[in-house]
Amino acid sequence: MNKVDVKLWKIPIPEKPPECRFDWTKERPERVERCKYFGNLKAVVIDKGICSHCGTCYICPVRGIVVEDKPIDFPNWRKDCIDCGACIRVCPRYDYTPLNGLGEYIEAVAGKSKRFKGQDGAMVSEFMAGALEMGIIDVALFVARDEEFKPYVVHITDPDQLKDERITGTKYSFASVMPELHDSIKHVRAVGIIGTPCMISGLRKLQKVVPLYKQKVKLAIGLFCTENFYHWQLKEFLEGRGIDLRKAVKTDIKKGNFIVTYDTGEEFSIPVKEMEEIVPDGCKVCQDFSAVEADASVGSVGSKKGFSSVLIRSETAKEIFEYLKEKDYIEVGEVKIDVIKRLCDYKVKIHPYPKG
Amino acid sequence: MVRIKVEKPKVHKSVALHIKAITTAFKEAISPGTITIHYPRERRKLPDNFRGLLQLDKEKCINCFRCAHICPANAIQMYQRENKYYPGIDYTKCILCHFCVDSCPTAALKPSKIHDVAFASLSTMVLPPEELAGEPEMWREDTVTVEYDFDGDLKMIKRKEVENLIVEVEKPKRPEFVAGAAFPENCIACRICVNSCPQNAITFKLQDLQTMVLEIDFEKCTGCMVCIRNCPTQTLLPFRREEVLKGGESDEQG
Ligand SMILES: Cc1cc2nc3c(=O)[nH]c(=O)nc-3n(C[C@H](O)[C@H](O)[C@H](O)COP(=O)(O)OP(=O)(O)OC[C@H]3O[C@@H](n4cnc5c(N)ncnc54)[C@H](O)[C@@H]3O)c2cc1C
């Protein structure tokens, strides 16, 4: 029988009486261009080709900013932008200093889930499942895929939902995690998100600007990442090589090769170097391989086949990891930190900023 | 077969029963005890807050959409008139629950005692705001208003008068709310609250490029919660009006 666990929650009511008047004094960046704030974001980030497509700017209160499978845009911004400057204030690439290296971490381990089947060791899924079971979060935003590997965001409230293999596993295309977070922030109590390093950077900046997101986003798992793709470009590229994503059950990047596995077991391998032309410009200025601002970062390099490498960075992530071990949900293994370090350095080397 | 033996009534008992029956017949002939109302020549007196057809006072409506949001039958649609929106009611759907009347923060939607309605066709049952305002066309044949008296024996009280079916009722006391800035630190200065407030109770002033002062006039605020629904970052929340005022007082004293 299905057990329905209804968690009741209230909007926290502040202790002091509400204010009928408040002074809003927050830094709004200087305008570079003499036009509305979105025009500034466009000039400084989007048109310069350093936008990471993380989607944090979807905070736009009039929902004018379109985050889809194409460069970020605000059609008709000259008329419809209300010039609040929120997009600029949360954009991790406005006023950009690249993050890089391994970052700070409490513990580096390798892990393999005994419950779920994921891209590698399904440790991402385990962390979120653990957080759900421990009550740290009520809902986790996961990136699922359709039959053509186009990503879309789903809300996971029960670890059993993660048995669906279209929900776990890597999709090498921009996913609308941040837009979904913005759309649901008022309706959730505590939420966990998974994202590429740029999304995690966006989240952290957002949390500084709007404390509501700090209060509600309780867990942020970062994925190791070298580059990501627009879905239509990836699909077209693979079609050009005679690969049909509809027949695929897994996509992966291993040892510099993009590997597509069909349901028949057939494997196709393309050197990532040959995909250079479809790597979005925004990824080419990113040096953050290990998602240094995440609560925990997970990737495949640095551990044995079937294991995920995990860098535990925050106390929350540590607690969840201990819980997973105690419940015997995971198998723990060795991680080669120097291999991860090498990839961090490699990313800095291939993505110089400012562009040479 | 079992035969049930019925006792023959005694003579004196039978006489008593007959007398009772005859007196009842006389009583009924003089003052009949029927409780049927001869509608439409007579009408029953209805309570003032009877849930009949709805009335709209366009002057009072602040176009906050609360009625349209709360309607469980989805019978209310907002119609654009000039620069405002007013509710219209689809009586093919309306269940006359009067949630809309209850939720209206300014008592712009009012109840009436009209409940016997005829429409010429289904399409005429969809009333735009104009047709909700003012009295509908009425034919009345009634000359007598009837009330039941439930104390003791059920009695009918008939009065030779015609009841007014549209009466002003005072809105029952309900907790009053105002919108307050609960978490000002979350504000992203989008001013959607300012622009969406139907009462213009929220104002903002740009002091310089970095500083904006946002002010909510609790006097003007009707607690319609449009701003709260629209605020993208949960900066505003509803508060009980009396608590807000109390809070203000203690602030002054301390
Ligand atoms: C674009 C991209 C590039 C990557 N590049 C590398 C790399 O170069 N080297 C490396 O070691 N690892 C890389 N990874 C990480 C790796 O592929 C695995 O995601 C990671 O090891 C976690 O595996 P897992 O089995 O523990 O996770 P799982 O339990 O399988 O869960 C993975 C979760 O990640 C989320 N996810 C999948 N795709 C996306 C997406 N596009 N955007 C946001 N969230 C997503 C989903 O919610 C999914 O459930 C990359 C991941 C992505 C998304």
Side-chain angles (χ1 to χ4, degrees):
Chain A
M1 217 180 73
N2 268 345
K3 208 183 91 210
V4 182
D5 186 12
V6 182
K7 288 191 187 107
L8 289 176
W9 56 278
K10 285 187 195 156
I11 298 171
I13 301 288
E15 280 163 18
K16 57 180 183 347
E19 292 162 62
C20 66
R21 179 197 147 101
F22 64 89
D23 294 4
W24 186 88
T25 38
K26 276 170 197 158
E27 292 273 305
R28 276 203 281 199
E30 289 278 315
R31 284 175 214 256
V32 192
E33 302 272 317
R34 282 179 58 111
C35 62
K36 288 182 176 175
Y37 275 117
F38 182 80
N40 280 264
L41 184 73
K42 191 169 156 61
V44 175
V45 180
I46 302 170
D47 292 349
K48 284 256 166 66
I50 62 168
C51 168
S52 65
H53 208 285
C54 68
T56 317
C57 53
Y58 188 82
I59 190 169
C60 174
V62 291
R63 291 289 186 263
I65 297 180
V66 181
V67 182
E68 278 169 12
D69 197 22
K70 56 184 183 202
I72 305 270
D73 194 19
F74 188 151
N76 224 347
W77 61 268
R78 277 176 213 279
K79 184 168 158 276
D80 295 339
C81 169
I82 57 166
D83 207 21
C84 65
C87 53
I88 277 196
R89 289 170 62 224
V90 299
C91 174
R93 293 283 162 99
Y94 197 86
D95 204 5
Y96 179 46
T97 359
L99 297 165
N100 50 38
L102 280 171
E104 282 178 28
Y105 59 91
I106 306 173
E107 199 177 336
V109 284
K112 180 181 178 166
S113 167
K114 296 179 182 173
R115 296 193 280 176
F116 308 116
K117 196 164 166 293
Q119 182 74 8
D120 300 298
M123 281 305 286
V124 175
S125 306
E126 274 298 348
F127 264 101
M128 283 299 168
L132 282 170
E133 284 176 17
M134 292 167 78
I136 295 174
I137 56 173
D138 292 337
V139 56
L141 302 187
F142 269 75
V143 178
R145 64 169 179 90
D146 69 3
E147 57 284 350
E148 290 193 313
F149 271 80
K150 195 176 164 86
Y152 64 91
V153 182
V154 289
H155 291 228
I156 300 294
T157 49
D158 185 336
D160 275 348
Q161 291 171 285
L162 297 174
K163 298 261 153 69
D164 183 345
E165 282 174 34
R166 285 194 176 188
I167 294 176
T168 61
T170 305
K171 294 90 196 168
Y172 288 94
S173 309
F174 294 124
S176 297
V177 179
M178 295 308 286
E180 189 60 34
L181 179 67
H182 286 309
D183 279 341
S184 32
I185 196 73
K186 275 173 83 176
H187 316 292
V188 297
R189 186 188 62 97
V191 57
I193 70 161
I194 306 159
T196 48
C198 51
M199 295 178 194
I200 306 296
S201 294
L203 173 74
R204 295 304 183 217
K205 196 156 179 193
L206 175 65
Q207 287 180 324
K208 268 190 222 128
V209 175
V210 188
L212 176 73
Y213 288 82
K214 184 147 193 81
Q215 179 200 327
K216 293 195 170 184
V217 183
K218 290 282 163 49
L219 185 65
I221 304 286
L223 302 170
F224 291 0
C225 180
T226 329
E227 66 266 300
N228 208 348
F229 302 97
Y230 286 107
H231 179 260
W232 71 271
Q233 279 190 321
L234 181 67
K235 196 177 127 207
E236 254 181 28
F237 177 87
L238 294 175
E239 270 166 9
R241 305 280 173 128
I243 300 169
D244 186 0
L245 276 174
R246 283 166 205 273
K247 294 187 195 147
V249 286
K250 187 170 181 176
T251 55
D252 203 355
I253 296 184
K254 279 269 144 70
K255 302 215 164 71
N257 289 311
F258 193 91
I259 301 160
V260 180
T261 316
Y262 274 11
D263 45 6
T264 53
E266 209 178 337
E267 263 190 20
F268 298 86
S269 176
I270 300 163
V272 177
K273 280 219 171 69
E274 290 174 24
M275 301 172 82
E276 186 66 19
E277 69 199 85
I278 63 161
V279 174
D281 287 342
C283 292
K284 290 181 184 161
V285 291
C286 174
Q287 305 183 340
D288 187 4
F289 174 76
S290 70
V292 298
E293 293 184 286
D295 285 310
S297 306
V298 186
S300 63
V301 295
S303 48
K304 277 193 303 199
K305 194 170 183 299
F307 278 79
S308 306
S309 310
V310 185
L311 297 176
I312 298 167
R313 303 184 191 275
S314 77
E315 288 301 328
T316 319
K318 175 84 185 145
E319 269 170 42
I320 300 168
F321 185 68
E322 293 304 325
Y323 170 86
L324 295 175
K325 273 202 295 196
E326 190 192 300
K327 286 273 178 181
D328 198 29
Y329 287 148
I330 56 168
E331 195 180 313
V332 180
E334 283 284 308
V335 68
K336 292 197 195 77
I337 197 76
D338 48 317
V339 180
I340 304 176
K341 179 85 178 58
R342 210 181 309 141
L343 268 140
C344 289
D345 295 343
Y346 176 69
K347 193 166 176 184
V348 178
K349 205 182 94 196
I350 60 167
H351 294 161
Y353 185 83
K355 282 186 259 189
Chain B
M1 203 169 83
V2 184
R3 191 175 280 262
I4 298 170
K5 234 174 120 187
V6 183
E7 234 178 90
K8 274 233 172 108
K10 300 256 164 55
V11 179
H12 69 273
K13 225 181 191 173
S14 148
V15 171
L17 281 172
H18 274 89
I19 292 170
K20 207 176 171 193
I22 291 162
T23 42
T24 308
F26 270 112
K27 235 194 199 160
E28 283 300 308
I30 299 158
S31 83
T34 48
I35 52 161
T36 313
I37 296 169
H38 295 275
Y39 178 84
R41 290 173 298 284
E42 299 174 354
R43 250 175 191 277
R44 183 172 173 189
K45 190 173 165 55
L46 297 168
D48 282 351
N49 55 358
F50 183 81
R51 297 175 194 216
L53 278 198
L54 293 149
Q55 297 259 297
L56 173 71
D57 185 342
K58 270 174 89 179
E59 293 291 300
K60 283 191 186 161
C61 176
I62 57 168
N63 48 124
C64 70
F65 285 62
R66 279 186 78 154
C67 49
H69 278 287
I70 204 161
C71 178
N74 207 6
I76 300 189
Q77 200 198 335
M78 301 300 284
Y79 292 73
Q80 192 177 7
R81 296 289 182 260
E82 294 100 50
N83 273 330
K84 287 183 149 195
Y85 285 85
Y86 298 100
I89 295 175
D90 181 350
Y91 277 112
T92 59
K93 293 180 183 164
C94 176
I95 54 170
L96 294 171
C97 69
H98 282 214
F99 278 15
C100 50
V101 176
D102 281 349
S103 74
C104 180
T106 54
L109 275 171
K110 289 176 295 190
S112 82
K113 303 191 203 178
I114 308 166
H115 59 94
D116 33 5
V117 200
F119 292 96
S121 67
L122 280 181
S123 59
T124 55
M125 293 181 79
V126 184
L127 302 191
E130 294 71 37
E131 290 182 35
L132 290 180
E135 285 189 23
E137 213 176 333
M138 280 191 273
W139 284 272
R140 296 188 61 170
E141 293 171 35
D142 59 310
T143 47
V144 174
T145 305
V146 182
E147 238 181 307
Y148 288 118
D149 178 3
F150 293 101
D151 287 337
D153 269 355
L154 184 58
K155 273 197 294 280
M156 272 176 123
I157 303 162
K158 296 194 179 183
R159 268 190 226 103
K160 210 153 177 62
E161 60 185 32
V162 179
E163 196 194 5
N164 201 353
L165 296 183
I166 298 170
V167 285
E168 282 294 323
V169 282
E170 209 170 303
K171 215 176 139 56
K173 269 254 168 284
R174 298 254 153 65
E176 280 188 40
F177 290 92
V178 291
F183 304 101
E185 65 276 15
N186 285 335
C187 178
I188 55 168
C190 67
R191 292 146 358 230
I192 281 184
C193 51
V194 179
N195 293 324
S196 65
C197 176
Q199 290 296 80
N200 293 331
I202 313 179
T203 49
F204 88 100
K205 271 182 235 105
L206 211 58
Q207 281 193 337
D208 52 65
L209 256 185
Q210 310 290 4
T211 320
M212 181 191 83
V213 182
L214 199 91
E215 207 165 333
I216 303 168
D217 187 340
F218 288 151
E219 288 301 309
K220 278 193 195 164
C221 176
T222 57
C224 73
M225 303 198 197
V226 166
C227 54
I228 296 167
R229 265 207 306 268
N230 282 327
C231 173
T233 54
Q234 234 170 53
T235 304
L236 305 170
L237 286 181
F239 290 88
R240 286 282 179 98
R241 187 184 279 277
E242 76 260 37
E243 271 170 39
V244 170
L245 297 182
K246 210 167 57 199
E249 268 167 31
S250 67
D251 251 17
E252 276 161 33
Q253 283 159 11

